[in-house]
Amino acid sequence: MKLIVGLGNPGKDYKNTRHNVGFLVLDNYLNTSDWKEKFNALFHETRINGEKVLFVKPLTFMNLSGDAVVKYVNYYDIDIDDILVIHDDLDLPFSSYKLKKNSSAGGHNGIKSIISRLSSDAFARLKVGVSHDRSIDTKDYVLGNFSKSEMDKFNEMQKDFNKIIESFVIDGIEKTMNIYNTKK
């Protein structure tokens, strides 16, 4: 079983913000409203190439994301190698991405929470670049909405995100990193 977690903040006020990239990727990939609630998170279960996959959107705010993630990991006995977390990254240029494993939180509070609750940084991450306008307070920037042109570009990138999700499930993170970190 694989666990794919999209990070974001709950509520319609945050729907199209930079910090909700993880939610947006999952929503666009699954294109469903058939989410159920368990362990203070929304989840959708499906199969990809015969493999059971849980997609999870924590309903906690970002800095408590690990609380929901650890409950899924423990309940379903999910191995750390079978987890992919999708989140925004201020240090990457907008419309870029990077796959990582065994990496620090890099200042991202959602990732800090997950590392703390799992007692490990060995899970895979899809870091989606949102850039950083340093003339705006960081909190205001990440909680700001995408512009129309940014949203259009993000939607174009979704094709790659869909392929990354499927590659992670079918081929694992090492092969997926080899393919998609060099593809740009």
Side-chain angles (χ1 to χ4, degrees):
M1 175 184 286
K2 304 287 190 213
L3 175 65
I4 300 179
V5 179
L7 294 186
N9 284 313
K12 63 182 179 187
D13 291 345
Y14 300 103
K15 185 173 171 44
N16 290 317
T17 64
R18 292 173 185 89
H19 225 19
N20 272 34
V21 159
F23 282 12
L24 290 168
V25 170
L26 296 191
D27 288 340
N28 289 333
Y29 177 79
L30 292 168
N31 195 26
T32 184
S33 59
D34 185 28
W35 292 89
K36 296 175 177 67
E37 190 172 337
K38 183 178 194 173
F39 302 136
N40 205 16
L42 296 177
F43 78 97
H44 180 82
E45 185 178 317
T46 191
R47 290 196 174 271
I48 298 174
N49 201 39
E51 173 96 27
K52 188 184 216 181
V53 182
L54 280 176
F55 291 89
V56 170
K57 298 190 302 185
L59 291 174
T60 58
F61 282 93
M62 188 67 75
N63 62 340
L64 298 174
S65 298
D67 294 351
V69 172
V70 75
K71 289 177 183 172
Y72 279 89
V73 168
N74 290 339
Y75 184 82
Y76 291 99
D77 195 27
I78 298 171
D79 189 275
I80 200 85
D81 290 330
D82 293 327
I83 302 169
L84 174 65
V85 178
I86 303 168
H87 65 92
D88 61 301
D89 190 294
L90 289 168
D91 295 327
L92 290 173
F94 180 77
S95 79
S96 67
Y97 60 83
K98 183 148 186 88
L99 286 153
K100 296 278 283 190
K101 186 177 176 187
N102 300 315
S103 181
S104 74
H108 194 286
N109 289 330
I111 296 299
K112 280 182 196 173
S113 174
I114 294 170
I115 289 171
S116 172
R117 297 291 284 145
L118 293 178
S119 300
S120 176
D121 65 1
F123 55 92
R125 294 152 222 191
L126 171 56
K127 300 163 68 161
V128 179
V130 295
S131 195
H132 189 191
D133 183 342
R134 303 219 185 264
S135 70
I136 301 172
D137 178 71
T138 301
K139 180 182 170 216
D140 293 336
Y141 182 76
V142 296
L143 295 178
N145 287 325
F146 284 113
S147 68
K148 166 96 171 76
S149 63
E150 287 173 328
M151 206 62 195
D152 289 344
K153 183 65 178 168
F154 178 82
N155 288 331
E156 286 175 31
M157 293 171 57
Q158 185 67 43
K159 293 174 195 156
D160 277 347
F161 301 148
N162 293 351
K163 291 176 187 174
I164 287 168
I165 288 168
E166 291 178 7
S167 179
F168 170 75
V169 172
I170 295 166
D171 302 316
I173 190 59
E174 299 300 330
K175 185 172 182 180
T176 303
M177 286 191 305
N178 286 339
I179 295 168
Y180 289 96
N181 279 345
T182 58
K183 186 176 180 189
K184 297 175 200 136

